[in-house]
Amino acid sequence: MKLAQELNVIFENPSKHRYGYYVQVLIYLNILVSIGVMFLETEKSLSEYFELFKTINMINIFLFTIEYLLRVYSKTRKRIKYMLTPLMIIDLIVLIPFYLSFLNIDLGFLRGLRILRIFKLFRLAKFNEFDKMIIDIMKEKKEELFYIVVVLFILLFTLTPLVYYFESKAQPEVYSSMGTTLWWAVITFTTVGYGDMYPVTTVGRILTTIVSILGIAFYAIPGSIFTSSLLDKINQRRNKRRRR
């Protein structure tokens, strides 16, 4: 029980344990090394080092596994609930493909999920506090954000049929269906605009202008809501520290 409590302090409040800082540094380095090796493994010019990369990857997996088991053990209560949290599920997804390979189960497509290790950075002490702040903002502003998303979908599904009606006659091979036109609406609304689809009719161009302007506006609205809330949270945290 005492060991579990100490481990919990190391993982959750590393600054309050004498070994907390070193454990965090080790986790941080392991993540960076594993991601770096993942990229290097795809360089054919480094094929002579592939065996070394494989060995390093096995060491990474071993350390990740130890960390995962210790994190679960550190929770003396509600371990199952803790294992079902998003970051713990990500850890499990990262580990599973490696161990299944010993059973001759090839899930090669899951190897790309190793990049998910980078999410483990959010467990570091400095990120952990910021992560909680983001979650609090999302909870407090969920109604405003939900309303914006609903309005966005209404606009998309209103403008899509209009553009399809006018453009399908002029460009039947481009705007071939409502689905493809919805794709155009989404990429235009998000101001990406790949250029693979664009209207040629006067009405279509007018609607495109409207969609583009609305897209910029709907980026600004949630951004301003989130930014103002984040600044409020930061100020509140600073005020608490000053009072201490």
Side-chain angles (χ1 to χ4, degrees):
M1 183 66 73
K2 186 178 180 180
L3 176 61
Q5 291 175 347
E6 284 199 25
L7 288 171
N8 188 57
V9 173
I10 290 175
F11 290 126
E12 301 299 333
N13 298 291
S15 60
K16 296 182 179 180
H17 196 282
R18 56 180 176 174
Y19 298 121
Y21 173 77
Y22 301 104
V23 172
Q24 292 293 306
V25 170
L26 178 62
I27 294 172
Y28 186 86
L29 288 175
N30 195 37
I31 295 168
L32 295 181
V33 169
S34 65
I35 293 173
V37 168
M38 183 180 67
F39 278 85
L40 292 174
E41 284 177 331
T42 62
E43 295 291 338
K44 294 181 180 179
S45 60
L46 299 176
S47 58
E48 59 184 302
Y49 300 105
F50 281 0
E51 285 299 319
L52 174 62
F53 295 154
K54 185 177 180 181
T55 302
I56 293 174
N57 187 52
M58 291 182 68
I59 294 172
N60 290 145
I61 290 293
F62 174 75
L63 292 175
F64 282 131
T65 303
I66 295 299
E67 182 203 352
Y68 179 86
L69 294 175
L70 289 177
R71 282 186 180 278
V72 174
Y73 178 74
S74 69
K75 300 296 178 180
T76 55
R77 298 178 181 178
K78 299 181 180 179
R79 284 177 177 167
I80 300 299
K81 184 178 180 180
Y82 178 66
M83 291 171 66
L84 295 176
T85 56
L87 288 176
M88 290 299 287
I89 292 174
I90 288 174
D91 285 354
L92 195 59
I93 292 174
V94 168
L95 296 173
I96 284 176
F98 177 79
Y99 290 105
L100 287 180
S101 64
F102 290 105
L103 301 175
N104 293 322
I105 300 176
D106 185 15
L107 296 177
F109 69 95
L110 289 178
R111 291 175 187 170
L113 295 178
R114 284 184 294 171
I115 193 64
L116 292 177
R117 294 172 188 171
I118 200 168
F119 283 97
K120 292 168 72 64
L121 292 173
F122 288 104
R123 282 215 184 91
L124 300 180
K126 292 183 179 180
F127 286 109
N128 193 34
E129 189 174 353
F130 183 76
D131 186 37
K132 291 178 180 178
M133 194 183 300
I134 298 298
I135 293 173
D136 288 340
I137 292 173
M138 297 298 289
K139 289 180 179 179
E140 292 175 5
K141 302 296 180 181
K142 60 182 178 182
E143 292 183 0
E144 292 89 336
L145 295 174
F146 178 75
Y147 175 76
I148 291 171
V149 172
V150 171
V151 173
L152 170 61
F153 275 97
I154 290 174
L155 290 172
L156 285 176
F157 283 97
T158 300
L159 292 169
T160 294
L162 294 175
V163 174
Y164 173 74
Y165 176 79
F166 290 100
E167 292 300 321
S168 61
K169 295 178 181 179
Q171 304 182 82
E173 70 287 349
V174 178
Y175 293 85
S176 58
S177 66
M178 287 279 189
T180 56
T181 307
L182 180 61
W183 160 253
W184 163 87
V186 170
I187 62 173
T188 303
F189 204 92
T190 54
T191 68
V192 177
Y194 294 121
D196 56 340
M197 297 176 66
Y198 55 88
V200 295
T201 64
T202 302
V203 177
R205 289 176 176 175
I206 292 173
L207 291 172
T208 300
T209 303
I210 295 172
V211 172
S212 299
I213 294 173
L214 289 175
I216 295 172
F218 272 86
Y219 265 112
I221 294 171
S224 60
I225 292 173
F226 183 83
T227 303
S228 61
S229 298
L230 181 60
L231 290 174
D232 288 339
K233 291 289 182 183
I234 292 173
N235 289 329
Q236 289 175 12
R237 188 177 65 176
R238 286 177 180 174
N239 291 332
K240 286 182 180 179
R241 288 179 177 177
R242 289 173 182 173
R243 291 171 185 172
R244 292 176 185 175

